[in-house]
Amino acid sequence: MFMGEYNHSIDTKGRLIIPSKFREALGDEFVVTKGLDGCLFVYDLKEWNAFEEKLKALPLTNKNARQFVRFFLSGAASVEVDKQGRVLLPASLREFAKLEKDVVLIGVASRIEIWSKDMWNDASVCDNMDDIAEQMADLGLGI
């Protein structure tokens, strides 16, 4: 399970250091793809394969399902960790998530999210967490 928040920088070649705690769970190769809310999603190969199977099971006749599958699969890239613990993020993914220099990596259970620092600062401000907590209780998650 991934958890925690780490601040890092992308170098001029588009390489990002993956925190050692995340690298241990991810292994030497993993998948990065476009995520929701303007971030990137990172999956270890086991989680990615399970997610990919769910995507393949969606009905081809459903337009929203086709768009959903395209969104995740067209942006997916397999990346490998170098000896310094870095990965090269494809330019298209860096552009999608507006990643320039300062980034935040957060663990979100089965995946990691990579955010531009500015976007994370905006997204992580939650003035209505009490309201959200009530909605989660309605979904069966009581605290």
Side-chain angles (χ1 to χ4, degrees):
M1 181 169 89
F2 299 106
M3 59 185 175
E5 180 178 322
Y6 301 87
N7 290 285
H8 283 277
S9 297
I10 294 180
D11 69 15
T12 56
K13 295 181 181 178
R15 297 174 299 193
L16 172 65
I17 292 175
I18 302 298
S20 61
K21 286 194 177 198
F22 288 169
R23 280 197 316 265
E24 291 170 12
L26 287 170
D28 293 332
E29 183 180 353
F30 48 89
V31 175
V32 181
T33 191
K34 291 184 272 188
L36 303 175
D37 302 317
C39 70
L40 300 180
F41 286 174
V42 179
Y43 294 95
D44 67 26
L45 294 179
K46 182 181 174 187
E47 285 293 331
W48 175 255
N49 289 334
F51 182 53
E52 195 175 39
E53 288 303 313
K54 291 176 185 176
L55 292 175
K56 286 196 277 188
L58 292 172
L60 185 61
T61 54
N62 183 297
K63 184 176 182 175
N64 286 338
R66 290 192 308 271
Q67 289 178 322
F68 193 76
V69 170
R70 283 185 202 121
F71 177 80
F72 286 106
L73 294 181
S74 69
S78 178
V79 297
E80 293 184 25
V81 179
D82 69 13
K83 291 177 182 159
Q84 287 77 38
R86 303 171 300 191
V87 295
L88 176 62
L89 294 174
S92 60
L93 291 177
R94 291 193 315 267
E95 184 178 317
F96 168 81
K98 298 175 179 56
L99 303 178
E100 294 176 11
K101 179 141 178 76
D102 296 325
V103 301
V104 180
L105 295 95
I106 61 167
V108 188
S110 63
R111 70 175 184 277
I112 296 164
E113 295 180 353
I114 303 173
W115 291 80
S116 78
K117 188 168 187 165
D118 291 339
M119 288 184 68
W120 174 246
N121 288 338
D122 291 343
S124 64
V125 172
C126 194
D127 296 332
N128 63 339
M129 189 51 70
D130 291 337
D131 295 336
I132 292 172
E134 284 182 30
Q135 292 176 11
M136 294 303 104
D138 293 344
L139 295 174
L141 181 66
I143 329 181

